[in-house]
Amino acid sequence: MKVHIENIGDYLKKHEIKPSYQRIKVFEYLLNTKEHPTVDDIYRALVDEIPTLSKTTVYNTLNLFIEKQIAVVIVIEENETRYDVEMNFHGHFKCEKCGKVSDVDIDPEVINFDSLNEFQINEHHLYFKGICKDCLEKEKIKN
Amino acid sequence: MKVHIENIGDYLKKHEIKPSYQRIKVFEYLLNTKEHPTVDDIYRALVDEIPTLSKTTVYNTLNLFIEKQIAVVIVIEENETRYDVEMNFHGHFKCEKCGKVSDVDIDPEVINFDSLNEFQINEHHLYFKGICKDCLEKEKIKN
DNA sequence: GTATCTGCAAAACATTTGCAATTCT
DNA sequence: AGAATTGCAAATGTTTTGCAGATAC
């Protein structure tokens, strides 16, 4: 599902982003995790490896990625801004029990409603909330 | 498109909400406007009529509406929490030019993807961004 | 050596909380 | 009077900004 990227430095350069150590690490983390992390998740995941890291740099880096269109913001809940580097068309599901956010494959053809014809659509955001498989099974076992 | 409600006081009572003046006015505003307003929009719209109104009350009121399930939060963008009292299944479109948020009719049947089968879905949120009809026409006229 | 990038501290916002005053019945 | 509601002021949390020092080419 995730984009395959040979070399992060080259990928950043291709998108006019100078590949600093911090930027490579943030991008690498976004690429390797499936958690659609928040700024705080990213910061906490990297601060051990980069002890001087600041949240400002994480913010700067993410805003740059978004400007250069190699990442998108996903906001499933208020007060919880998450980031995604998977740029293919897909939806997101958030489990209300465990809080995990998963990707959902969606055929873009399906989202061609008549009611959208009057608009020029630039972005689709499809969010679903509920209970994930794992949490459903855990509940079954309990009962 | 909007729900038809005879009497807001009775409607609030039916949902176990004591119909104070502030609550009636906030609900009335949500019902009559199509703008999917933010807290600030609501506050600014009502403060002339209710000069003692505070944002805290608007927040309290909206949180109560959400708890009692007569309103929902819509978050199309980070840092922009909006509210909607239309509880039927529908999507939202936000114009990137004029900032207006419109309702989008969607057949719920269409949103039955195989990829969602492994989840128990409790909420759907469908957001679209782009340029609205009016802004597209304004651009045409300019050129 | 000059541009850029990083990260601290402070500022800017949005939302929540504690609590005292007000209102409603 | 008693219970609920309102709204001020302060607290909290998130994101942005200004700027000085560090880093890279």
Side-chain angles (χ1 to χ4, degrees), chain A:
Chain A
M1 179 102 189
K2 284 277 177 192
V3 213
H4 182 63
I5 289 170
E6 303 278 342
N7 180 298
I8 293 175
D10 291 346
Y11 183 76
L12 296 182
K13 272 187 213 155
K14 204 171 70 188
H15 289 87
E16 306 178 294
I17 296 166
K18 292 202 180 156
S20 75
Y21 182 62
Q22 287 86 339
R23 288 168 179 176
I24 289 173
K25 283 295 173 189
V26 169
F27 194 84
E28 186 181 59
Y29 181 69
L30 284 167
L31 204 56
N32 292 338
T33 187
K34 290 165 189 145
E35 306 289 326
H36 305 83
T38 63
V39 165
D40 203 59
D41 293 335
I42 299 168
Y43 175 77
R44 290 208 318 275
L46 297 179
V47 74
D48 283 345
E49 203 178 345
I50 317 170
T52 61
L53 186 66
S54 79
K55 275 196 193 176
T56 303
T57 298
V58 179
Y59 277 109
N60 287 342
T61 300
L62 292 167
N63 288 339
L64 183 65
F65 288 174
I66 287 156
E67 189 194 318
K68 298 298 185 184
Q69 304 192 42
I70 62 168
V72 288
V73 167
I74 60 183
V75 265
I76 308 184
E77 316 249 24
E78 23 167 0
N79 314 330
E80 206 187 72
T81 306
R82 294 166 177 275
Y83 296 85
D84 196 356
V85 289
E86 170 62 48
M87 303 298 278
N88 296 333
F89 186 79
H90 66 292
H92 292 102
F93 171 86
K94 177 169 179 182
C95 178
E96 290 164 335
K97 275 246 154 48
C98 66
K100 267 189 207 156
V101 176
S102 338
D103 287 334
V104 176
D105 279 324
I106 287 167
D107 178 1
E109 288 300 308
V110 173
I111 314 297
N112 256 328
F113 313 117
D114 289 344
S115 49
L116 286 177
N117 284 349
E118 61 171 306
F119 307 116
Q120 173 197 311
I121 303 293
N122 296 337
E123 287 181 44
H124 302 71
H125 296 266
L126 310 191
Y127 300 131
F128 306 93
K129 293 190 215 172
I131 315 287
C132 72
K133 210 178 186 174
D134 289 357
C135 287
L136 282 173
E137 265 163 32
K138 271 179 211 152
E139 236 167 66
K140 250 188 240 163
I141 292 163
K142 246 197 277 173
N143 304 333

Side-chain angles (χ1 to χ4, degrees), chain B residues 18 20 22-23 52 54 56-57:
Chain B
K18 292 201 180 157
S20 75
Q22 287 85 339
R23 288 169 180 175
T52 62
S54 78
T56 303
T57 298

Side-chain angles (χ1 to χ4, degrees), chain B residues 29-127:
Chain B
Y29 182 68
L30 284 166
L31 204 57
N32 292 338
T33 186
K34 289 165 190 148
E35 306 288 325
H36 306 83
T38 63
V39 165
D40 203 60
D41 293 336
I42 299 169
Y43 175 78
R44 290 208 317 274
L46 298 179
V47 74
D48 282 345
E49 203 178 347
I50 317 169
T52 62
L53 185 66
S54 78
K55 275 197 192 176
T56 303
T57 298
V58 180
Y59 277 109
N60 287 342
T61 300
L62 292 167
N63 288 339
L64 182 65
F65 288 174
I66 286 157
E67 188 194 316
K68 300 297 187 187
Q69 302 191 43
I70 62 166
V72 289
V73 167
I74 61 183
V75 264
I76 307 182
E77 317 248 25
E78 23 167 0
N79 314 332
E80 206 188 70
T81 306
R82 294 166 176 276
Y83 297 85
D84 196 356
V85 290
E86 170 63 48
M87 302 299 277
N88 296 334
F89 186 79
H90 67 292
H92 293 102
F93 171 86
K94 178 170 178 180
C95 177
E96 290 163 336
K97 275 248 154 50
C98 66
K100 270 191 203 152
V101 176
S102 340
D103 288 334
V104 176
D105 279 325
I106 287 168
D107 178 1
E109 289 300 308
V110 173
I111 313 297
N112 257 329
F113 313 117
D114 289 345
S115 49
L116 286 176
N117 284 348
E118 60 171 306
F119 307 116
Q120 174 197 309
I121 304 294
N122 296 337
E123 287 180 43
H124 301 71
H125 296 266
L126 310 191
Y127 301 130

